[in-house]
Amino acid sequence: MSDTVLRADGVHKAYNGLQVLQGVSLEVGRGEVKVIIGPSGSGKSTLLRCLALLEPIDGGAVALEDQVLSGLRERELAAHRSEIGMVFQRFNLFQNMTALGNVMVGLRDVRRLPKKEARERALEFLSRVGLADKADSYPEELSGGQQQRVAIARALVMRPKAMLFDEPTSALDVELVREVLDVMEGLARDGMTMVVVSHELRFAHHVASSILMMDEGRVIEEAPPEQFFSSPTHERTKRFLALVE
Ligand SMILES: Nc1ncnc2c1ncn2[C@@H]1O[C@H](COP(=O)(O)OP(=O)(O)OP(=O)(O)O)[C@@H](O)[C@H]1O
Ligand SMILES: [Mg+2]
């Protein structure tokens, strides 16, 4: 088995005739962190949803640890979805469940763990994101940063092979961004395989194995952070970096 965890091969995706992904290829090795940047509408979220098996694709392939998953039937897909953790810009927690309930629900419903075991494991992961003391709080009683950390714990508790983050801090007040980035940095240090859409360039510089620039449904440039920021090759990348910085 190669040490590629997640792979996209020439992925195409269209919505009502609009070509949103036009042959995107991407290879994420074990323990790598790929950060994706690019203008609004370039297809970043769509790419993550395709990688997370939340969207059928129109061409190409998505593979997890050398097994091609795109094209599987819904029943089989569902079994693989929890192997890929996804964290969205808006935390998408169940409002009628406590933090603990949110983190436990997948262990109970998908993994069929007994209640006691699910509860223990969920608490362990809430502690990992620094929220052991908020286990009984409902989402509306938590700050945005805390809610996002619950969402991260909820994905992590399933022990995914890779974690995907779609602008996880862009809906947060500035003073809450750091606590979420710190959790993500910790994950990266622990060797989690990650794909992160984010315009937090300092985070990207510090944590990414490589940075990818998307434009109009394509990856137009990929390089390690040093090289990406100091000598981007594409005009489009230069202009975009000037805007974001
Ligand atoms: N479910 C959908 N139905 C129809 N069109 C869609 C759908 N999802 C995305 N699109 C279109 O696909 C294009 C790419 O959208 P996407 O959300 O992937 O971009 P993005 O790079 O994540 O942008 P942003 O930076 O604003 O989040 C856009 O033109 C968008 O309108
Ligand atoms: Mg998006």
Side-chain angles (χ1 to χ4, degrees):
M1 198 171 78
S2 79
D3 223 20
T4 300
V5 175
L6 194 57
R7 203 175 70 236
D9 267 329
V11 169
H12 283 260
K13 175 75 187 172
Y15 292 109
N16 319 313
L18 175 70
Q19 298 294 324
V20 176
L21 297 179
Q22 312 204 49
V24 174
S25 297
L26 159 78
E27 215 177 294
V28 196
R30 197 169 306 283
E32 276 193 323
V33 179
K34 302 264 183 189
V35 172
I36 300 175
I37 67 171
S40 182
S42 58
K44 305 178 299 294
S45 295
T46 304
L47 175 61
L48 283 200
R49 288 201 307 274
C50 291
L51 290 173
L53 311 172
L54 299 172
E55 293 267 9
I57 60 178
D58 302 323
V62 171
L64 183 65
E65 291 184 334
D66 284 342
Q67 188 186 359
V68 174
L69 299 179
S70 42
L72 292 183
R73 274 187 297 268
E74 178 53 36
R75 258 183 76 89
E76 300 157 304
L77 270 186
H80 285 288
R81 256 182 216 125
S82 66
E83 299 181 331
I84 303 171
M86 177 102 178
V87 175
F88 301 89
Q89 181 174 15
R90 303 216 157 262
F91 332 119
N92 295 25
L93 296 177
F94 298 112
Q95 296 297 315
N96 61 336
M97 291 182 193
T98 62
L100 183 66
N102 269 281
V103 181
M104 276 177 70
V105 64
L107 294 175
R108 298 282 288 146
D109 291 1
V110 180
R111 294 286 148 81
R112 305 278 172 204
L113 285 192
K115 198 162 184 177
K116 181 165 174 289
E117 210 179 318
R119 195 187 145 80
E120 277 166 14
R121 207 195 299 173
L123 276 172
E124 177 195 327
F125 278 80
L126 274 177
S127 305
R128 256 184 91 172
V129 299
L131 290 174
D133 58 330
K134 297 290 184 187
D136 296 326
S137 301
Y138 286 86
E140 63 180 17
E141 300 167 333
L142 299 172
S143 73
Q146 290 168 339
Q147 290 185 58
Q148 192 60 302
R149 286 186 283 147
V150 173
I152 293 172
R154 179 178 62 177
L156 279 181
V157 81
M158 305 299 278
R159 301 197 194 281
K161 293 173 175 164
M163 286 281 289
L164 313 180
F165 295 85
D166 191 1
E167 303 207 42
T169 60
S170 60
L172 299 177
D173 292 340
V174 278
E175 67 268 31
L176 301 179
V177 168
R178 193 67 246 169
E179 66 187 48
V180 172
L181 293 181
D182 283 345
V183 168
M184 293 170 65
E185 275 192 45
L187 285 181
R189 259 199 315 275
D190 291 345
M192 177 59 78
T193 304
M194 293 161 58
V195 181
V196 184
V197 173
S198 174
H199 296 117
E200 295 287 339
L201 298 189
R202 278 183 11 148
F203 167 83
H205 206 134
H206 190 56
V207 174
S209 331
S210 64
I211 303 184
L212 287 78
M213 169 76 187
M214 280 189 77
D215 191 33
E216 297 182 350
R218 292 191 175 84
V219 175
I220 61 167
E221 179 152 8
E222 173 173 1
E226 282 304 328
Q227 187 187 336
F228 188 94
F229 289 120
S230 64
S231 44
T233 53
H234 269 261
E235 263 323 301
R236 187 73 190 88
T237 309
K238 289 178 197 167
R239 270 187 284 133
F240 186 73
L241 284 177
L243 278 178
V244 180
E245 275 162 352

